[in-house]
Amino acid sequence: AKTLFPYTTLFRSDRKNIDLIIKAFHLEFNYQENVGLFIKTNRLGVHVSEHGPRFFSRIEKIKADLNLYAGKDKYKGECVTLDRISDDEILGIHKSCNCFIMPSSGEGWSIPMLDAAAFGNWVISTDTGCASYATDLLIESDIERVCSSYHPVKDLFTGHEFWLKPKLNSLQSCMREVYNRHLAGEKPRNKDLAALSYKSVGELICQ
């Protein structure tokens, strides 16, 4: 059986709530539990040599602020990939992991969620994007005005819009539930991903 690895894919936006995942992971699982966190991250327009140190400092600050243990060595280490990776490597990640976490404030669709579901992995997410097709457990969220440092388009992600604010306690509960159900030998729900094939979507467009 695969070791349980909750994991996330973060591309370039605080909209993905990566800090929330890191907090939830360390608050919910102690260093003796057989669980790990894999993070694939990059930031658009920022070189790895610059983004890497910033990101690792961010992780260390979160741990320091949580102040859970007397020494840093008691925290479980994260597996972080900063470089661009091939499609085959992405598939390898999905094969090696058991659970995909997407506590995003908003998604248009989220291909990584569908990829994870197609590999038979557990999916935890907010109620956004393709959650109805791919998600096993929904993270409870509040609705709030958008406040973001990421503005890929001038009129996108402004305070005129609303998005989701996922709850930390809910994410922890979802992660623990998946962990326990996985250890009990349970499988994720069956997902009708055939409805999303090129043929099926093409037929809907033609109707």
Side-chain angles (χ1 to χ4, degrees):
K2 296 180 285 186
T3 300
L4 183 71
F5 274 87
Y7 68 100
T8 183
T9 303
L10 171 71
F11 287 109
R12 58 184 71 93
S13 170
D14 51 8
R15 173 173 55 90
K16 305 289 186 178
N17 294 309
I18 185 65
D19 288 12
L20 192 77
I21 297 175
I22 297 169
K23 289 177 187 176
F25 175 74
H26 289 294
L27 285 169
E28 190 60 36
F29 300 107
N30 65 57
Y31 62 92
Q32 295 177 317
E33 294 182 275
N34 187 25
V35 59
L37 178 63
F38 179 91
I39 302 171
K40 168 66 186 83
T41 174
N42 65 277
R43 197 161 187 87
L44 186 65
V46 180
H47 193 269
V48 170
S49 61
E50 183 179 353
H51 175 55
R54 288 182 184 175
F55 188 73
F56 287 116
S57 293
R58 189 171 167 182
I59 292 176
E60 290 307 309
K61 185 179 187 306
I62 290 172
K63 293 178 181 178
D65 290 349
L66 288 175
N67 195 29
L68 294 173
Y69 307 109
K72 292 182 179 180
D73 58 315
K74 291 297 185 181
Y75 286 93
K76 299 183 74 69
E78 304 82 7
C79 179
V80 179
T81 296
L82 300 165
D83 295 312
R84 295 184 66 87
I85 58 178
S86 67
D87 288 346
D88 287 341
E89 288 172 316
I90 291 175
L91 297 182
I93 291 170
H94 285 296
K95 290 179 181 178
S96 300
C97 298
N98 297 100
C99 179
F100 179 83
I101 305 171
M102 178 63 79
S104 178
S105 292
E107 290 290 320
W109 187 242
S110 186
I111 292 175
M113 281 172 57
L114 284 177
D115 287 344
F119 273 91
N121 290 331
W122 295 89
V123 176
I124 297 171
S125 80
T126 47
D127 191 6
T128 183
C130 56
S132 60
Y133 290 99
T135 300
D136 298 285
L137 281 82
L138 284 175
I139 306 164
E140 294 178 9
S141 306
D142 292 321
I143 298 175
E144 65 174 17
R145 291 278 186 174
V146 173
C147 184
S148 174
S149 61
Y150 180 59
H151 303 284
V153 180
K154 180 181 178 181
D155 296 325
L156 185 64
F157 300 140
T158 73
H160 297 295
E161 304 165 71
F162 292 89
W163 64 8
L164 300 176
K165 182 180 180 181
K167 297 180 179 180
L168 176 62
N169 289 344
S170 178
L171 176 54
Q172 287 182 236
S173 297
C174 289
M175 294 168 78
R176 176 59 65 180
E177 182 173 344
V178 166
Y179 181 76
N180 290 339
R181 291 169 68 178
H182 173 77
L183 291 183
E186 291 187 42
K187 301 294 183 183
R189 69 181 177 90
N190 291 324
K191 297 155 187 171
D192 185 21
L193 300 183
L196 303 178
S197 67
Y198 288 118
K199 180 180 179 181
S200 297
V201 173
E203 289 174 348
L204 286 174
I205 293 173
C206 292
Q207 288 178 3

